[in-house]
Amino acid sequence: MTARILAAPLAAVLLAAAPVQAADNPLDKDRYSLSETGDGFLRLDRQSGRVSLCKKVNDAWRCVPLPDAERALEEEIAALAIENERLTARNRELEAKILAIGRSAEEAMGGLNGKEARPSPDGLSAEDEKQLDRALDFTEKAMRRFFGLMQSLREELEEKPN
């Protein structure tokens, strides 16, 4: 028998074996569409848009739903949107905590009776800044001496005849 001779009885079997929702009419002949493939049939559910591949396996016809790439992408997008909302809310929560900690630190530092205990904007205390200034002064003097020595050596070499 050829596939075309089997198509009509197969269509009846596949349509009758299709999953039926409670509100659907099981005798709705226009719900499913069958298209012949090389090794079976593709069954399209016109209501849900789902496609199944129907094949004869061990003398019985079986229809296996095919993966729907668009639906999978839509589900992934929806899941990512939910995760994005969750992470955005968590980010706002953490920002609020950071601001509260900053205010608490400012209040604690303000309660030191006006003493110079606040760090500078770069995070250095007044004593640290004094030490840094001394180190920079020392470095400047050392560099001036070094370059002075280099200048003296250059002058000496230029003065000597060959």
Side-chain angles (χ1 to χ4, degrees):
M1 286 197 219
T2 67
R4 293 197 185 274
I5 296 172
L6 288 176
L10 176 63
V13 169
L14 292 176
L15 292 176
V20 178
Q21 297 175 353
D24 295 335
N25 180 0
L27 301 177
D28 186 2
K29 295 178 183 176
D30 294 328
R31 178 173 178 180
Y32 297 98
S33 170
L34 293 174
S35 296
E36 188 175 350
T37 65
D39 58 344
F41 291 88
L42 287 178
R43 180 184 71 184
L44 170 66
D45 183 337
R46 291 184 179 143
Q47 287 181 358
S48 70
R50 295 204 173 174
V51 177
S52 299
L53 177 61
C54 301
K55 292 182 179 182
K56 191 169 188 176
V57 178
N58 297 332
D59 293 332
W61 284 95
R62 305 218 185 259
C63 294
V64 178
L66 296 177
D68 187 350
E70 185 177 347
R71 180 172 288 146
L73 288 175
E74 288 172 357
E75 289 172 359
E76 185 173 356
I77 289 169
L80 290 172
I82 290 168
E83 182 179 5
N84 186 30
E85 290 174 15
R86 183 185 63 79
L87 292 173
T88 301
R90 179 69 175 147
N91 192 30
R92 283 192 205 113
E93 179 184 313
L94 292 173
E95 286 174 348
K97 285 182 180 181
I98 289 171
L99 289 175
I101 290 170
R103 281 190 223 113
S104 298
E106 285 179 9
E107 290 170 4
M109 294 180 110
L112 295 173
N113 299 328
K115 291 184 181 176
E116 181 60 39
R118 289 183 185 229
S120 65
D122 56 3
L124 298 174
S125 68
E127 183 60 33
D128 290 340
E129 285 186 27
K130 287 179 188 176
Q131 287 180 353
L132 182 60
D133 285 340
R134 285 194 299 263
L136 290 173
D137 288 342
F138 171 78
T139 305
E140 182 181 0
K141 287 179 187 176
M143 293 301 288
R144 287 186 186 278
R145 276 187 178 172
F146 174 75
F147 284 114
L149 280 170
M150 297 307 296
Q151 184 67 27
S152 297
L153 286 172
R154 184 180 313 159
E155 289 171 2
E156 283 181 28
L157 288 172
E158 288 175 357
E159 288 177 8
K160 287 187 178 181
N162 288 339

